[in-house]
Amino acid sequence: MKDEDTRLGQRSVDDPPRHAALVVVVAPDRALLGTRVPLAGPCLVGRDPTCDLVLALDDVSRRHALVDAAGAGHLLTDLGSLNGTYVGEARVERRLLQAGEQIRIGSAVLKYVAAGDPEAAYHEELARRAHQDPLTGLANRAVFDAALERAAAACRRHGRPLALLLGDVDHFKAVNDGLGHAVGDEVLRELARLLGPLVRRDELLARVGGEELAVLLPEADLPAARAAAERIRAAVEAHRFGPEEVRVTLSLGVAVLGPEEEPAAMLTRADALLYEAKRSGRNCVRG
């Protein structure tokens, strides 16, 4: 299990195909489908947000099973789960996995893809489609929601701060209505390309709505988060988008997770502060 657990999201889209992987192929929660976790180290599977593969399902134990390297392959170990761990129809305590085997954990089914398996590229493409916003290539809302839970749990455990930025493109409807949706789409794509370099590797930039973006900043206190938001706001204001040289601005709300606060409450506060920025004249940061 990793100690570097402020890295956001579940390891999926950007990992190279040299590693074996677990892929979620069946799950009642559609957001889990296609989740791919490369087995670059021990992989803890369970309901707890600190697990490497988080299955937030009622029939999954908090720390359900462990997959770890064993020789050239991987060993699956049940961790005393309530409902058991199955490979095919057989309940197992410990099992050396074979390429292509399916592991049932609660109501989820995982497929073990061995290192070098030609099928790995296929599952990577499925993972990319499941976790990326198709227009901008950014992380989508499902990835953001999972990353928020994981980051909050990790930051609480280590006594570190966690900040959240919510940004919304000002007067975006006027861009779509005045210049057409094709231009509006290009503005959003270019906005993603502009902001990507402003976000550190341990942070997460996601598209969470039509023209709404979110940034998770682990280990950032309120002054640091405000400074990051201001850099983003200024970069957007200074940029000219596309051949039409469209000018847009961004309003942002900034919130930091309180000691006893749930992540959803921080998200609600950031959203309220975003709309306070809108009411204050737009193109500004509130928080």
Side-chain angles (χ1 to χ4, degrees), residues 127-152:
R128 185 189 66 79
R129 294 186 182 188
H131 295 97
Q132 284 187 346
D133 170 61
L135 177 64
T136 64
L138 298 177
N140 62 21
R141 181 60 188 256
V143 170
F144 167 77
D145 287 341
L148 176 60
E149 292 290 335
R150 287 171 61 83

Side-chain angles (χ1 to χ4, degrees), residues 133 135-136 138-142 144 166-169 172 188 191 206-214 275:
D133 170 61
L135 177 64
T136 64
L138 298 177
N140 62 21
R141 181 60 188 256
F144 167 77
L166 280 185
D168 189 84
V169 180
F172 189 70
L188 293 177
L191 179 63
R207 184 185 182 200
V208 294
E211 61 271 16
E212 190 171 352
L213 304 175
Y275 282 95

